Amino acid sequence: MLKVTGRGSITTCDGITRRDFLQVGTLGAIGLSMAQYAALQSMGAVTKGNDEKSVIMIFNLGAPSQLDTWDMKPDAPREIRGPFKPIRTNNPDIQISEIFPLHAKLADKFSLVRSCYHTAAAVHDTGHQMLQTGRLFTGGVNTPHAGCALEYFKGRRNELPAHVILPEPMGPTGGNLPHGQDGGFLGKAYDPFVLNADPSKPNFKVPDLLPPQEIGEARLKRRQSLRETVEGTVKSFEASPSAELMNANFASAFRLMTSERAREAFDLSKEPEKVRERYGMTRFGQSCLLARRLIEAGVRFVTINTFITVFDEITWDIHGSKPFTSIAGMKEIVAPMYDQGYSALIEDLVQRGMLDNTLVCNLAEFGRTPKINPAGGRDHWPQCWTSYFAGGGVKGGRIVGKSDEIGAYPVERPVAPNEVVATIYHSLGLDLETHLPGPNARPFPLVDFGTQPIRELF
């Protein structure tokens, strides 16, 4: 019997709490209203298609400086151009920073969008929202992450989750606002599976894939029929849409926890040591390798947070003064692990024949100020920055948009966050004119009316 004992608390007749039984958070959807559930049913919450496209979203939390990475201005004054020099790549039309020598060998595989911008407040959280959901949250309405919207339309391919976040969800970045890494108004049923572990650690495990020690295999099998479990509850609850939804989510979690495919996908020990070393034995590098394994196993969407917060570690947030780093610190600490992990991922996807069907997008919440500040860093600057894309139908070796002579503002083909997210949906084959079941079960446009993808990439 299940006892619904309070807010988010469910206990089995054996005294094992929901938290003990499953820590993946899938039963949070019990709070979905009947109206919302009815809307999900009537609008086709899971419409499976034949499209095999997947996405790996690398989110560069902290925001790299466009002038020191992908959009250098070597002829600008020193206080603008910074300390790094541009280098040639394997594409004669593209030059990038010397801090990314491995990227330079792959410039024919990715394309740069040098004219991204937004007009919201220059705080990390607002950019996180817009670049992952396509919208700034207003009026208490939290839009779902693109990976969560994908799950709504296409569901899972198998017992593995449709959307996984590695290695952890975004933490505090100063704004105390939602980051846009969950199901938003779609409800907890569409929240991603979050790893919450560092895959570079020697003792790396995914605890959510194994039952608690208190529950033996025999007892676990007795709970395989979630319908029987729900039938033991109060009849009025049993007949409700929330109970049916809870049953379905519990079943999905059960399949994940008992899936040999899932355990294999998350098991990095299956990879040759040389492959792991090629990605780099860093949190980011091993997250990239794990992302490839998950996509290969059937996960539709993987989000990799390059960093978790801007406060407790050296990140792209190069203000210069402590506890942040300087531009030089970015070269010494951040760039090497990032260059290694990304280049290994792209090479691996190419060698395995996966890149054509896997969009790898590298996003950030904003850019950095054109002028170096007195502390030797650069501050927040949403007026212009660079995103880049590879695979998933994107043609490599292209440059879309152009910034002015100091990398401060777009002067050609300005690209807003909603266009970036529309590009992801376009790669996945989603109809941009379709709707989600929004707040109060009202139809909510997948993207704002008239929003188009960055077609120059395809």
Side-chain angles (χ1 to χ4, degrees), residues 151-454:
E151 180 174 5
Y152 169 81
F153 287 111
K154 295 198 172 184
R156 304 180 179 201
R157 290 192 175 114
N158 48 45
E159 62 269 32
L160 284 158
H163 180 202
V164 177
I165 288 182
L166 306 175
E168 300 177 39
M170 291 179 178
T173 51
N176 199 30
L177 299 170
H179 298 285
Q181 290 204 312
D182 57 32
F185 58 65
L186 287 178
K188 296 278 185 189
Y190 294 96
D191 279 356
F193 178 90
V194 180
L195 181 64
N196 278 325
D198 184 346
S200 68
K201 297 297 184 184
N203 59 348
F204 168 64
K205 294 180 180 179
V206 186
D208 290 339
L209 298 185
L210 297 172
Q213 294 180 354
E214 307 96 299
I215 301 181
E217 190 69 24
R219 288 172 63 194
L220 188 59
K221 288 182 179 179
R222 288 200 301 267
R223 284 153 179 80
Q224 189 167 4
S225 174
L226 281 309
R227 173 61 63 188
E228 293 177 3
T229 304
V230 174
E231 286 175 356
T233 64
V234 180
K235 290 295 182 182
S236 59
F237 176 74
E238 175 192 346
S240 72
S242 291
E244 293 184 18
L245 188 57
M246 183 185 72
N247 188 16
N249 290 329
F250 213 159
S252 295
F254 180 92
R255 288 194 299 270
L256 174 64
M257 190 174 63
T258 57
S259 166
E260 185 64 29
R261 184 200 300 264
R263 295 182 192 180
E264 286 277 335
F266 281 96
D267 189 356
L268 288 177
S269 70
K270 302 292 185 182
E271 292 290 332
E273 198 63 28
K274 286 186 177 180
V275 173
R276 297 196 67 180
E277 291 173 355
R278 171 64 185 93
Y279 277 83
M281 294 306 296
T282 63
R283 186 180 64 187
F284 174 71
Q286 295 303 294
S287 291
C288 287
L289 174 55
L290 186 53
R292 188 269 288 164
R293 289 183 61 85
L294 293 173
I295 294 296
E296 204 167 25
V299 173
R300 292 186 181 277
F301 202 113
V302 177
T303 300
I304 302 173
N305 292 322
T306 307
F307 300 103
I308 310 305
T309 176
V310 296
F311 297 118
D312 300 325
E313 56 184 325
I314 300 303
T315 74
W316 300 110
D317 203 22
I318 54 167
H319 290 288
S321 58
K322 294 183 178 180
F324 306 101
T325 188
S326 63
I327 297 174
M330 178 180 66
K331 175 184 179 181
E332 297 163 2
I333 301 171
V334 177
M337 68 88 184
Y338 181 78
D339 193 34
Q340 183 174 6
Y342 175 79
S343 61
L345 174 62
I346 297 300
E347 287 178 349
D348 210 355
L349 291 174
V350 170
Q351 291 169 4
R352 292 170 179 269
M354 295 172 60
L355 187 61
D356 288 346
N357 284 329
T358 306
L359 176 70
V360 181
C361 52
N362 296 59
L363 311 180
E365 58 266 44
F366 43 61
R368 313 302 297 191
T369 49
K371 189 174 182 179
I372 297 174
N373 65 30
R378 300 186 194 266
D379 301 316
H380 301 178
W381 188 259
Q383 288 88 334
C384 190
W385 78 93
T386 300
S387 298
Y388 62 111
F389 302 79
V394 168
K395 304 296 184 183
R398 297 185 176 184
I399 297 175
V400 177
K402 181 181 179 180
S403 64
D404 62 17
E405 66 276 6
I406 61 171
Y409 299 96
V411 293
E412 292 180 9
R413 184 58 172 97
V415 173
N418 58 329
E419 295 173 274
V420 172
V421 176
T423 301
I424 295 172
Y425 289 145
H426 176 75
S427 173
L428 289 166
L430 296 181
D431 182 356
L432 298 183
E433 295 185 1
T434 193
H435 290 71
L436 297 163
N440 300 318
R442 295 177 179 175
F444 191 95
L446 180 63
V447 296
D448 291 331
F449 178 76
T451 300
Q452 294 294 314
I454 310 168

